[in-house]
Amino acid sequence: MGLKQNLHNFKVKNKDKKWLPGFNALFTFLYMPNETTHNGTHIKAADDLKRTMNTVIMALIPCLIFGMFNAGYQHHLALGEIASASGFFDNMFWNWDNLVIGLWKVLPLVIVSYGVGLAVEFIFAIIKGHEVEEGYLVTGMLVPLIVPIDTPLWMLAVAVVFGVVIGKEVFGGTGMNILNPALTIRAFLFFAYPTWMSGDKVWVHGAVERDQMIAAGQNVDAISGETILGSLAQNKGAGYEVMDMFYGIIPGSVGETSTLLILLGALFLIFTKIGSWRIMLSSVIGALVMGLIFNGVVSSGWITESSKFYGLMSTEFWHHLLIGGFAFGTVFMATDPVTASQTTKGKWIYGFLVGFISIMIRVFNPAYPEGVMLAILLMNVFAPTIDHYVVQGNVKKRMKRVKAKVA
């Protein structure tokens, strides 16, 4: 008798035990979902929640690996130990020394995210007597990718507890939450510990050490650890080439910098029918429209270079797609099937507003130039309202057609 059958028999014999949801979660992770269809089905498909979550994780893995290399690269660059890489395939970037630093800094974030988050999920499952859902498999991977590299582990643990409990469990668990849990965690970190989530020291490991070397009189000819958005918000200019922005060889959150890899992840999610291309495309359109409006305002002369909004307003409208966390948020979080709009027309409206509001917040709030997080959370709240009016609009159209035929 195989291990799977023995575990199944063990589960059946202990079906009344309070701790069984925890065991079921491990059994599901190793083999298959605990609940399967026993009667006739309307639609037959090979996918289930676990396969869906695993597909999203596979799309995130390239961003994770790249983020590790970039963490080490930015660290050595900040200390002046290496020269700037000249492209995506530059050996200076894909150096094993960079990967070692990245592993040392990023893996603990991943371990804490999964360890604390799953522990909270298990505790709630045992207390409430329901099954552990697979939803946190993706959230646990998203969280390390959207935080600064030097985020303290205890701080991340506190935020994860808050995000899982307040962002999901109080609503009933996976599938019932109204806010994206990963963004809820990120929002908690920003508002609870703002000094650790902004500035020019948190995005590059070793930035503080670099400043200490400079203060000691050592000659360190290296770049600042400030992000492009932070620099533009202070009217300093981007400071990076467009292709560097596209490849992601820039400071930023662990997994948000490479637009190239995020784009590949988007194509993969669209091909597997996991992510909504309507939300992704409409978000891009919304961002471009808002960017064009700001460029037009600058061209008209209403905003001068002395204005605190000039740096981000004058940025080429399409550059907004390459900087900050816009691309990552649009592909991996705005498309969350639980918190996004469900209707076809609603997805277009929802996505457009996500992109439009993201750039608006980015420009009008120089203290927090990354607006995609707040834009997605705001639209999470309004997604049910959008779907409601879309459905009601369809009902009214059908009623008119019926009345016309009767008449």
Side-chain angles (χ1 to χ4, degrees), residues 347-406:
K347 289 177 181 179
W348 285 104
I349 299 171
Y350 168 88
F352 181 87
L353 290 175
V354 165
F356 194 86
I357 295 173
S358 293
I359 308 306
M360 182 186 297
I361 296 174
R362 176 178 286 184
V363 171
F364 285 135
N365 187 10
Y368 179 60
E370 182 51 88
V372 67
M373 175 190 76
L374 296 180
I376 294 175
L377 288 174
L378 178 64
M379 294 314 301
N380 284 167
V381 175
F382 283 100
T385 303
I386 293 173
D387 286 338
H388 170 76
Y389 283 106
V390 169
V391 172
Q392 290 302 310
N394 290 335
V395 170
K396 290 180 180 179
K397 289 179 181 178
R398 292 181 181 182
M399 291 297 293
K400 289 181 179 179
R401 287 199 296 266
V402 170
K403 291 179 180 179
K405 289 182 180 180
V406 172

Coordinates of all heavy atoms in Angstrom, one line a residue, residues 347-406:
K347 N -14.4 44.6 -16.0 CA -12.9 44.5 -16.0 C -12.3 45.6 -16.8 O -11.2 46.1 -16.4 CB -12.5 43.1 -16.6 CG -12.8 41.9 -15.7 CD -12.5 40.6 -16.4 CE -12.8 39.4 -15.5 NZ -12.5 38.1 -16.2
W348 N -12.9 46.0 -17.9 CA -12.4 47.2 -18.6 C -12.4 48.4 -17.8 O -11.4 49.2 -17.8 CB -13.1 47.3 -19.9 CG -12.9 46.3 -21.0 CD1 -13.6 45.3 -21.3 CD2 -11.7 46.3 -21.8 NE1 -13.0 44.6 -22.3 CE2 -11.8 45.2 -22.7 CE3 -10.5 47.1 -21.9 CZ2 -10.9 44.8 -23.6 CZ3 -9.6 46.7 -22.9 CH2 -9.8 45.6 -23.7
I349 N -13.5 48.7 -17.1 CA -13.7 49.9 -16.3 C -12.7 49.8 -15.1 O -12.0 50.8 -14.8 CB -15.1 50.0 -15.8 CG1 -16.1 50.1 -17.0 CG2 -15.2 51.2 -14.9 CD1 -17.5 50.1 -16.6
Y350 N -12.7 48.7 -14.4 CA -11.8 48.5 -13.3 C -10.3 48.7 -13.6 O -9.6 49.4 -13.0 CB -12.0 47.1 -12.7 CG -11.1 46.6 -11.7 CD1 -11.3 46.8 -10.3 CD2 -9.9 45.8 -12.1 CE1 -10.3 46.4 -9.4 CE2 -9.0 45.4 -11.2 CZ -9.2 45.6 -9.8 OH -8.4 45.2 -8.9
G351 N -9.9 48.1 -14.7 CA -8.5 48.2 -15.1 C -8.1 49.6 -15.5 O -7.1 50.1 -15.1
F352 N -9.0 50.2 -16.3 CA -8.7 51.6 -16.7 C -8.5 52.5 -15.5 O -7.6 53.3 -15.5 CB -9.8 52.1 -17.6 CG -9.6 53.5 -18.1 CD1 -8.9 53.7 -19.3 CD2 -10.1 54.6 -17.4 CE1 -8.7 55.0 -19.8 CE2 -9.9 55.9 -17.9 CZ -9.2 56.1 -19.1
L353 N -9.4 52.4 -14.5 CA -9.3 53.3 -13.3 C -8.1 53.0 -12.5 O -7.5 53.9 -11.9 CB -10.6 53.1 -12.5 CG -11.9 53.7 -13.1 CD1 -13.1 53.4 -12.3 CD2 -11.7 55.2 -13.4
V354 N -7.7 51.7 -12.5 CA -6.4 51.3 -11.7 C -5.3 52.1 -12.3 O -4.5 52.7 -11.6 CB -6.2 49.8 -11.8 CG1 -4.7 49.5 -11.4 CG2 -7.1 49.1 -10.8
G355 N -5.1 52.0 -13.7 CA -4.0 52.7 -14.3 C -4.1 54.2 -14.2 O -3.1 54.9 -13.9
F356 N -5.3 54.8 -14.4 CA -5.5 56.2 -14.4 C -5.2 56.8 -13.0 O -4.5 57.7 -12.9 CB -7.0 56.5 -14.8 CG -7.3 57.9 -15.1 CD1 -7.1 58.4 -16.4 CD2 -7.8 58.8 -14.1 CE1 -7.4 59.7 -16.7 CE2 -8.0 60.1 -14.4 CZ -7.8 60.6 -15.7
I357 N -5.7 56.1 -12.0 CA -5.5 56.6 -10.6 C -4.1 56.4 -10.1 O -3.6 57.2 -9.4 CB -6.5 55.9 -9.7 CG1 -8.0 56.3 -10.0 CG2 -6.3 56.3 -8.2 CD1 -9.0 55.6 -9.3
S358 N -3.5 55.3 -10.6 CA -2.1 55.1 -10.2 C -1.2 56.2 -10.6 O -0.4 56.7 -9.8 CB -1.5 53.8 -10.9 OG -2.2 52.6 -10.5
I359 N -1.3 56.7 -11.8 CA -0.4 57.8 -12.3 C -0.8 59.1 -11.6 O 0.0 60.0 -11.3 CB -0.5 57.9 -13.8 CG1 -0.2 56.6 -14.4 CG2 0.5 59.0 -14.3 CD1 1.2 55.9 -14.0
M360 N -2.1 59.3 -11.3 CA -2.6 60.5 -10.7 C -2.0 60.6 -9.2 O -1.5 61.6 -8.8 CB -4.1 60.5 -10.6 CG -4.7 61.7 -9.9 SD -6.5 61.6 -9.7 CE -7.0 61.5 -11.4
I361 N -2.0 59.5 -8.5 CA -1.4 59.5 -7.2 C 0.1 59.6 -7.2 O 0.7 60.4 -6.4 CB -1.8 58.1 -6.4 CG1 -3.3 58.0 -6.2 CG2 -1.1 58.1 -5.1 CD1 -3.7 56.7 -5.6
R362 N 0.7 59.0 -8.2 CA 2.1 59.1 -8.4 C 2.6 60.5 -8.5 O 3.6 60.9 -8.0 CB 2.5 58.2 -9.6 CG 4.0 58.3 -10.0 CD 4.3 57.4 -11.2 NE 4.3 56.0 -10.8 CZ 4.6 55.0 -11.6 NH1 4.9 55.3 -12.9 NH2 4.6 53.7 -11.2
V363 N 1.8 61.3 -9.3 CA 2.2 62.7 -9.6 C 1.9 63.6 -8.4 O 2.7 64.5 -8.0 CB 1.6 63.2 -10.9 CG1 1.8 64.7 -11.1 CG2 2.2 62.4 -12.0
F364 N 0.6 63.5 -7.9 CA 0.2 64.5 -6.9 C 0.6 64.2 -5.5 O 0.2 65.0 -4.6 CB -1.4 64.6 -7.0 CG -1.9 65.3 -8.2 CD1 -2.9 64.8 -9.0 CD2 -1.3 66.5 -8.6 CE1 -3.3 65.5 -10.1 CE2 -1.7 67.2 -9.7 CZ -2.7 66.7 -10.4
N365 N 1.2 63.1 -5.3 CA 1.7 62.8 -3.9 C 3.2 62.5 -3.9 O 3.6 61.4 -3.9 CB 1.0 61.6 -3.3 CG 1.3 61.3 -1.9 OD1 1.9 62.2 -1.2 ND2 0.9 60.2 -1.4
P366 N 4.0 63.6 -4.0 CA 5.5 63.4 -4.1 C 6.1 62.7 -2.9 O 7.1 62.1 -3.0 CB 6.0 64.9 -4.2 CG 4.8 65.7 -4.6 CD 3.6 65.0 -4.1
A367 N 5.4 62.8 -1.8 CA 5.9 62.1 -0.6 C 5.8 60.6 -0.7 O 6.5 59.8 -0.1 CB 5.2 62.5 0.7
Y368 N 4.8 60.1 -1.6 CA 4.7 58.7 -1.9 C 4.4 58.5 -3.4 O 3.2 58.4 -3.8 CB 3.5 58.1 -1.0 CG 3.3 56.6 -1.3 CD1 4.3 55.7 -1.1 CD2 2.1 56.2 -1.8 CE1 4.1 54.4 -1.3 CE2 1.9 54.8 -2.1 CZ 2.9 53.9 -1.8 OH 2.7 52.6 -2.1
P369 N 5.4 58.6 -4.2 CA 5.2 58.6 -5.6 C 4.8 57.3 -6.2 O 4.5 57.3 -7.4 CB 6.6 59.1 -6.2 CG 7.6 58.6 -5.1 CD 6.8 58.7 -3.8
E370 N 4.8 56.2 -5.5 CA 4.3 55.0 -6.0 C 2.8 54.8 -5.7 O 2.4 54.5 -4.6 CB 5.1 53.8 -5.4 CG 4.7 52.4 -5.9 CD 4.7 52.4 -7.5 OE1 5.7 52.2 -8.0 OE2 3.6 52.7 -8.1
G371 N 2.0 55.0 -6.7 CA 0.5 55.0 -6.5 C -0.2 53.8 -6.8 O -1.4 53.7 -6.5
V372 N 0.4 52.8 -7.4 CA -0.3 51.6 -7.9 C -0.9 50.8 -6.7 O -2.0 50.3 -6.8 CB 0.6 50.7 -8.7 CG1 1.7 50.0 -7.9 CG2 -0.2 49.6 -9.4
M373 N -0.2 50.8 -5.6 CA -0.7 50.0 -4.4 C -2.0 50.6 -4.0 O -3.1 49.9 -3.8 CB 0.3 50.1 -3.3 CG -0.2 49.4 -2.0 SD 0.9 49.7 -0.6 CE 0.4 51.4 -0.2
L374 N -2.1 51.9 -3.7 CA -3.3 52.6 -3.3 C -4.4 52.5 -4.3 O -5.6 52.4 -4.0 CB -3.0 54.0 -2.9 CG -2.0 54.2 -1.7 CD1 -1.8 55.7 -1.5 CD2 -2.5 53.5 -0.5
A375 N -4.0 52.6 -5.6 CA -5.0 52.6 -6.7 C -5.7 51.2 -6.7 O -6.9 51.1 -6.8 CB -4.4 52.9 -8.0
I376 N -4.9 50.1 -6.6 CA -5.5 48.8 -6.7 C -6.4 48.6 -5.4 O -7.5 48.0 -5.6 CB -4.4 47.7 -6.8 CG1 -3.7 47.9 -8.1 CG2 -5.0 46.3 -6.6 CD1 -2.5 46.9 -8.3
L377 N -5.9 48.9 -4.3 CA -6.8 48.8 -3.0 C -8.0 49.5 -3.1 O -9.1 49.1 -2.7 CB -6.0 49.2 -1.8 CG -4.8 48.3 -1.4 CD1 -4.0 48.9 -0.2 CD2 -5.4 46.9 -1.0
L378 N -8.0 50.8 -3.7 CA -9.2 51.6 -3.8 C -10.2 50.9 -4.8 O -11.4 50.8 -4.5 CB -8.8 53.0 -4.3 CG -10.0 53.9 -4.6 CD1 -10.7 54.3 -3.3 CD2 -9.5 55.2 -5.3
M379 N -9.7 50.4 -5.9 CA -10.5 49.8 -6.9 C -11.0 48.4 -6.4 O -12.1 47.9 -6.8 CB -9.8 49.6 -8.2 CG -9.5 51.0 -8.9 SD -10.9 52.1 -8.9 CE -12.2 51.2 -9.7
N380 N -10.3 47.7 -5.5 CA -10.8 46.5 -4.9 C -12.1 46.8 -4.2 O -13.0 46.0 -4.2 CB -9.8 46.0 -3.9 CG -8.6 45.3 -4.5 OD1 -7.6 45.0 -3.8 ND2 -8.7 45.0 -5.8
V381 N -12.2 47.9 -3.5 CA -13.4 48.3 -2.7 C -14.5 48.6 -3.7 O -15.7 48.3 -3.4 CB -13.1 49.6 -1.9 CG1 -14.3 50.0 -1.2 CG2 -12.0 49.2 -0.8
F382 N -14.2 49.2 -4.8 CA -15.3 49.6 -5.8 C -15.6 48.5 -6.8 O -16.6 48.7 -7.6 CB -14.9 50.9 -6.5 CG -15.1 52.1 -5.6 CD1 -14.0 52.7 -5.0 CD2 -16.3 52.7 -5.4 CE1 -14.1 53.8 -4.2 CE2 -16.5 53.8 -4.6 CZ -15.4 54.4 -4.0
A383 N -14.8 47.5 -6.9 CA -15.1 46.4 -7.9 C -16.5 45.8 -7.8 O -17.2 45.7 -8.8 CB -14.0 45.3 -7.7
P384 N -17.0 45.5 -6.6 CA -18.4 45.0 -6.5 C -19.4 46.0 -7.0 O -20.4 45.6 -7.6 CB -18.6 44.7 -5.0 CG -17.2 44.5 -4.5 CD -16.4 45.4 -5.2
T385 N -19.2 47.3 -6.7 CA -20.1 48.3 -7.2 C -20.1 48.4 -8.7 O -21.2 48.6 -9.4 CB -19.7 49.7 -6.6 OG1 -19.7 49.6 -5.2 CG2 -20.7 50.8 -7.0
I386 N -18.9 48.3 -9.3 CA -18.8 48.4 -10.8 C -19.6 47.2 -11.4 O -20.4 47.4 -12.3 CB -17.3 48.3 -11.2 CG1 -16.6 49.6 -10.8 CG2 -17.2 48.1 -12.7 CD1 -15.1 49.5 -11.0
D387 N -19.4 46.0 -10.8 CA -20.1 44.8 -11.4 C -21.6 45.0 -11.2 O -22.4 44.5 -12.1 CB -19.6 43.6 -10.7 CG -18.2 43.1 -11.1 OD1 -17.8 43.5 -12.3 OD2 -17.5 42.4 -10.4
H388 N -22.0 45.5 -10.1 CA -23.4 45.7 -9.8 C -24.1 46.5 -10.9 O -25.1 46.2 -11.4 CB -23.6 46.3 -8.4 CG -25.1 46.8 -8.2 ND1 -26.1 45.9 -7.9 CD2 -25.6 48.0 -8.2 CE1 -27.2 46.5 -7.7 NE2 -27.0 47.8 -7.9
Y389 N -23.5 47.7 -11.2 CA -24.1 48.6 -12.2 C -24.0 48.0 -13.6 O -24.8 48.3 -14.5 CB -23.4 50.0 -12.1 CG -24.0 50.8 -11.0 CD1 -23.2 51.0 -9.8 CD2 -25.2 51.3 -11.0 CE1 -23.7 51.7 -8.7 CE2 -25.8 52.0 -9.9 CZ -25.0 52.2 -8.8 OH -25.5 52.9 -7.7
V390 N -22.9 47.2 -13.9 CA -22.8 46.6 -15.2 C -23.9 45.6 -15.3 O -24.6 45.5 -16.4 CB -21.4 45.9 -15.3 CG1 -21.4 44.9 -16.6 CG2 -20.3 46.9 -15.5
V391 N -24.2 44.8 -14.3 CA -25.3 43.8 -14.3 C -26.6 44.5 -14.5 O -27.5 44.0 -15.3 CB -25.2 42.9 -13.1 CG1 -26.4 42.0 -13.0 CG2 -24.0 42.0 -13.1
Q392 N -26.8 45.5 -13.7 CA -28.1 46.2 -13.7 C -28.3 46.8 -15.1 O -29.4 46.9 -15.6 CB -28.1 47.3 -12.7 CG -28.3 46.8 -11.2 CD -29.5 45.9 -11.0 OE1 -30.6 46.3 -11.4 NE2 -29.3 44.7 -10.5
G393 N -27.2 47.3 -15.7 CA -27.3 47.9 -17.0 C -27.7 46.9 -18.1 O -28.6 47.1 -18.9
N394 N -27.2 45.6 -17.9 CA -27.6 44.6 -18.8 C -29.0 44.1 -18.6 O -29.7 43.8 -19.6 CB -26.6 43.3 -18.6 CG -25.2 43.6 -19.1 OD1 -25.0 44.4 -20.0 ND2 -24.3 42.9 -18.5
V395 N -29.4 44.1 -17.4 CA -30.8 43.8 -17.1 C -31.8 44.8 -17.7 O -32.8 44.4 -18.3 CB -31.1 43.7 -15.6 CG1 -32.6 43.6 -15.2 CG2 -30.3 42.6 -14.9
K396 N -31.5 46.1 -17.6 CA -32.3 47.1 -18.2 C -32.4 47.0 -19.7 O -33.4 47.2 -20.3 CB -31.8 48.5 -17.8 CG -32.0 48.8 -16.3 CD -31.5 50.2 -16.0 CE -31.7 50.5 -14.5 NZ -31.2 51.8 -14.1
K397 N -31.2 46.7 -20.4 CA -31.2 46.5 -21.8 C -32.1 45.4 -22.2 O -32.8 45.4 -23.2 CB -29.8 46.3 -22.3 CG -28.9 47.5 -22.2 CD -27.5 47.2 -22.7 CE -26.6 48.5 -22.6 NZ -25.2 48.2 -23.0
R398 N -32.0 44.2 -21.5 CA -32.9 43.1 -21.8 C -34.3 43.4 -21.6 O -35.2 42.9 -22.4 CB -32.4 41.9 -21.0 CG -31.0 41.4 -21.3 CD -30.6 40.2 -20.5 NE -29.3 39.7 -20.9 CZ -28.7 38.7 -20.3 NH1 -29.4 37.9 -19.4 NH2 -27.5 38.3 -20.7
M399 N -34.6 44.1 -20.6 CA -36.0 44.5 -20.3 C -36.6 45.3 -21.5 O -37.7 45.2 -21.9 CB -36.2 45.2 -19.0 CG -35.9 44.3 -17.8 SD -37.1 43.0 -17.6 CE -38.6 43.9 -17.2
K400 N -35.8 46.3 -21.9 CA -36.2 47.1 -23.1 C -36.4 46.3 -24.3 O -37.4 46.5 -25.1 CB -35.1 48.2 -23.3 CG -35.1 49.3 -22.3 CD -34.0 50.3 -22.6 CE -33.9 51.4 -21.6 NZ -32.9 52.4 -21.9
R401 N -35.6 45.3 -24.6 CA -35.7 44.4 -25.7 C -37.0 43.6 -25.6 O -37.7 43.4 -26.6 CB -34.5 43.5 -25.9 CG -33.3 44.2 -26.4 CD -32.3 43.2 -27.0 NE -31.8 42.3 -26.0 CZ -30.7 42.5 -25.3 NH1 -29.9 43.6 -25.5 NH2 -30.3 41.6 -24.5
V402 N -37.3 43.1 -24.4 CA -38.5 42.3 -24.2 C -39.7 43.2 -24.4 O -40.7 42.8 -25.1 CB -38.5 41.7 -22.8 CG1 -39.9 41.1 -22.5 CG2 -37.4 40.7 -22.6
K403 N -39.7 44.4 -23.9 CA -40.9 45.3 -24.0 C -41.1 45.7 -25.5 O -42.2 45.8 -25.9 CB -40.7 46.6 -23.2 CG -40.7 46.3 -21.7 CD -40.5 47.6 -20.9 CE -40.6 47.3 -19.4 NZ -40.3 48.6 -18.6
A404 N -40.0 45.9 -26.2 CA -40.1 46.2 -27.6 C -40.7 45.1 -28.4 O -41.5 45.3 -29.3 CB -38.7 46.6 -28.2
K405 N -40.3 43.8 -28.1 CA -40.9 42.7 -28.8 C -42.4 42.5 -28.5 O -43.2 42.2 -29.3 CB -40.1 41.4 -28.4 CG -38.7 41.4 -29.0 CD -38.1 40.1 -28.6 CE -36.6 40.0 -29.2 NZ -36.0 38.7 -28.8
V406 N -42.7 42.7 -27.2 CA -44.1 42.6 -26.8 C -45.0 43.6 -27.5 O -46.1 43.4 -27.9 CB -44.3 42.7 -25.2 CG1 -45.7 42.8 -24.8 CG2 -43.6 41.5 -24.6

